[in-house]
Amino acid sequence: MTPRAREVPPLAKPRKPRLPAVAERVLDNGLRVVAVRRGGVPMVHARLRIPFAGRKPEHLPKRWALDATMLHGTAEHSRTELAVAMQEIGGALSVGTDADRLQIRGESLAKGLPRMLELIGEVVTSAAYPSDAVAGEVERLQTVLRQRLSQPAEVAAEALRHRLYDGHPYGRDLPTPDEVAGVTAAAVRSLHRRWVVPAGSLLVLVGDITPARALDHVEARLQGWSGKGTARLPKPDVPVGGGLTLVDRPGAVQSNIRLGGPALPRTDDPAYAAMSLANVVFGGYFASRLVQNIREDKGYTYSPRSGITHGDTASTVVVEADVATEVTAPALVEIAYELGRVATTPVTAEELDSAAHYTSGILALQTATQSGLASTLEDLLADGLDVSWLRTYPERLARVTTDEVREQAQRHFAPARLATVVVGDASRVQDELGGLAEVVPADGG
Amino acid sequence: MAPAAGADQRVTPGFVRRNGYGPRMAATLAVPTTSYDVRRHRLRNGLRVVLAPDKAAPVVAVAVYYDVGIRSEPEGRTGFAHLFEHLMFQGSASLGKMEHIRYVMSSGGTLNGSTRLDYTNYYEALPSNALERALFLEADRMRSPRVTEENLANQIAVVKEEIRVNVLNQPYGGFPWLSLPPLLFDTFPNAHNGYGGFEDLESATVEDAADFFKRYYAPGNAVLSVGGDFDPDEALELIEKHFGDIPRRKTPPRPSFAEPEVTEERRGEVVDDNAPTPALALGWRVPDPADLDAYLPYVVLADLLTRGDASRLRQRLVHTDRLVTDVSAHLGVMQDPFDVRDPTLLIVEAYHSADVSGDSVVAAVDDELARLAAGDLDADEVGRVQARQAASLLTRNDFILGRTLLMAAFEQQRNNPGLVGELPARLGTVTPEQVLEAAGHLQPDRRARLDLVPGGNR
């Protein structure tokens, strides 16, 4: 009993998302504040982004220690009191750092906004870093780092960073346990004084708030924060292509394949839109060529993908696939084939149309929530763009041609331009991989 | 959901007046109540429909929940519910392989599916102009998925890679969600490995898939939940148009999976060759989630124990005694208190260095639970934990897909999708006495304790 085929319904007329109204103020201390009203639920979300781009190698373990202890009390409140105060407004704060920036992320009931700002203000102006707490966290972090470095995906990501950005702060994200062991509370306090400053920082608030009043609350609670601005990282030199780095993980039942290379920064340039669509067609969504080939046809892997990541001074193409050990080399052949194909032959109009619709649709979904809109705005503003991008980018995507996609694919997805890293059981994969590329064992494994 | 826009939806700001227990501390904000416009229908073929219109953003979410999950798997077919979920993406009555995925994504949408103990779900979030297309796609595979020898073999390979990436090649992989249930539960449905053994997966046949579909994927065994930017009358017409002619089939009765209480501590050990440091998990049975009044105190207790730096076990184990690198308490092996039916459990899991003994970690947990059970708890602490929980639910509900999924689960489990709006306030009605009583239930002789031992092979 074969049911008859039915027609897939066409799309209805689209309804465009409304562009959010943005209220903005730059405080005298240099802090840029953006507030947006987005009803929905009676919550408010905060993203405070502070440039944090230390260049010296010892910056890395120190920022990990700062990240772990920033909420361990202020001049007025202990760690527990701070956490209690946030719970009382239905909220929570968290801190994260990367090579470019420190982010304080907060959410609370909308009525709790003044209190949340007061507590964020306390943290940035008077985080205490008690010696005992820092010592405790430094010890805990050493075990956490051992746990992180036991994860093959972390090892692979770190190896790829090293390949692409060796010698630059983008070249590492995980310090060794030994490096962290040497960090003192005094060093963390001094790091805070130097870097946690309002000049060049950005605060985004999105939620069930009145933007003008929210700006006043920010001004009242954060104008006392002071300090001199800091510089961004220098632009790294990225080597093109090169051999295959093999990180040995004896006994591994899978190999983690990673390829990476330089990408365009997010800008209004039409080339950026074309490069993004080349990524989507190649491996940036489930309907991509990469997924079709090595998952849905060959069954080599569960979740192959590609993506573009952005640092302040460099953007990166990353291709990822975790594959069964016995198909490591064949999987790499297929990945190289798909990269070569997208770089040298035109994508179809249908593929392009699908990728453009997908990218616009995902942007609409991402910005349909308070929290998603806050994060998206933070990223846009930090990249020197503004809220109008939410409207202009989909328009730009719709105008990209297949020629433009091929041009960008040639520049950014050609296999010879990408560095390759494999984490796996070298005794089982090295010989076959050696037939595909020059294999360089990673130092230190 | 701004109350403007002339939409059918409404969120009514109001204030919860808490039941009983003492005055609220002035510092804790009252949690605003929410309620959503929710409509329920049942098609003639038995399909239950939930509609929750909300015009705030031009997006819609569509979810189909089938009342079949890991607990439904027969012996010798471990992992089959999940494998079958993969097969539901391989083509259907009118669509070839990859077409379902391409239609969703080229419409600007995203999609996924998941297999849980008590349900298997499929969902999309898309721009609202793609609503009819999404309904068509879900109806087409409810009518008949297209399982072939070729795509079965392909998805067995893909699922094996999924298991390798998440379990076999991953430190702490499957801990404790796969390794704790066999210790705490005795019957196959509750105890077996839901990802499946490779030998079971490899022996799965196209015929098994046809039988499984016939038995469990009847329209009367499913809930369709639609949320977001649409007119409910129009949506219902579209649902009738696409789902209405799927023939009614017999629906399987849902058996009871209940097991007798645990009466003495059960101990187990799992060796993990990938893990560098030890970990342990404690699991206790908890009341049937269907009885919300009995269940919610455990939901509050779990957060009171380990959510945030003010929580009891984080303060004691992480900060004061420095025994663990991390500790977390949650309900259900999938870490979602509301996606599971009876029987289920509360888990405390802790990760520690090899220099610390598991016994000292467990002793500290027991000590904190005993303190609570002895009455060391005030209304302020419970109140602020509830405020945070309620606010987190508001954030979860802000995402139309999150809300649509939860409504589907609540329709399936409780015939009450509107509970999504009421839940933040319901959590607030839990009293400190109830939390104390729940803590008192978490005795050593009622639990299973599983120690993860690092194999040291890496």
Side-chain angles (χ1 to χ4, degrees), chain A residues 103 109 170 219 247 250 256 370:
Chain A
Q103 186 201 47
L109 289 165
Y170 289 160
E219 180 134 27
V247 182
N256 309 87
Q370 296 171 340

Side-chain angles (χ1 to χ4, degrees), chain A residues 399-443:
Chain A
R399 288 197 300 268
V400 170
T401 66
T402 54
D403 281 347
E404 289 170 322
V405 170
R406 181 153 54 138
E407 188 190 333
Q408 291 306 318
Q410 228 164 39
R411 287 188 188 174
H412 302 287
F413 288 85
R417 299 184 62 86
L418 301 177
T420 306
V421 167
V422 175
V423 178
D425 187 338
S427 70
R428 293 181 60 199
V429 302
Q430 182 153 17
D431 289 350
E432 270 194 344
L433 289 176
L436 303 177
E438 186 200 348
V439 174
V440 187
D443 38 330

Side-chain angles (χ1 to χ4, degrees), chain A residues 30-45:
Chain A
L31 176 67
R32 181 181 184 195
V33 191
V34 164
V36 177
R37 175 173 167 72
R38 170 62 65 86
V41 291
M43 295 289 292
V44 59
H45 297 260

Side-chain angles (χ1 to χ4, degrees), chain B residues 18-221:
Chain B
R18 284 158 197 281
N19 292 352
Y21 213 83
R24 298 293 323 289
M25 183 178 170
T28 298
L29 291 180
V31 175
T33 57
T34 48
S35 74
Y36 299 100
D37 177 10
V38 184
R39 301 163 192 216
R40 302 174 63 220
H41 299 273
R42 188 157 199 150
L43 303 193
R44 277 190 305 278
N45 58 18
L47 178 67
R48 288 143 76 187
V49 177
V50 176
L51 297 173
D54 173 359
K55 304 262 184 192
V59 294
V60 289
V62 173
V64 181
Y65 276 53
Y66 293 93
D67 203 332
V68 55
I70 289 167
R71 286 202 256 237
S72 320
E73 291 165 356
E75 295 196 37
R77 282 288 170 269
T78 59
F80 196 80
H82 172 240
L83 175 62
F84 190 81
E85 175 219 310
H86 278 243
L87 297 175
M88 286 287 278
F89 290 90
Q90 292 294 306
S92 51
S94 306
L95 298 164
K97 177 154 167 146
M98 288 298 276
E99 281 196 295
H100 177 109
I101 291 154
R102 288 201 187 106
Y103 274 113
V104 171
M105 295 190 134
S106 67
S107 307
T110 177
L111 76 169
N112 213 334
S114 69
T115 308
R116 302 295 164 106
L117 298 186
D118 297 313
Y119 65 75
T120 306
N121 69 3
Y122 303 87
Y123 52 86
E124 297 81 38
L126 330 84
S128 47
N129 66 322
L131 173 62
E132 184 177 2
R133 182 171 279 187
L135 294 171
F136 171 89
L137 295 171
E138 286 302 347
D140 206 57
R141 62 181 167 185
M142 185 181 288
R143 194 169 283 114
S144 91
R146 197 181 285 192
V147 181
T148 65
E149 297 290 347
E150 193 185 1
N151 64 35
L152 174 65
N154 169 245
Q155 290 305 306
I156 289 170
V158 169
V159 166
K160 284 163 69 179
E161 291 317 304
E162 179 177 353
I163 294 169
R164 288 193 174 111
V165 77
N166 288 332
V167 182
L168 303 176
N169 201 43
Q170 179 66 17
Y172 312 102
F175 177 82
W177 84 273
L178 293 176
S179 41
L180 186 59
L183 203 55
L184 188 66
F185 295 105
D186 298 319
T187 62
F188 177 83
N190 296 324
H192 78 273
N193 175 340
Y195 248 154
F198 280 12
E199 62 295 341
D200 282 2
L201 292 169
E202 281 162 0
S203 64
T205 65
V206 171
E207 221 172 29
D208 291 336
D211 290 346
F212 196 78
F213 176 77
K214 198 173 160 204
R215 180 168 169 77
Y216 291 112
Y217 279 69
N221 206 37

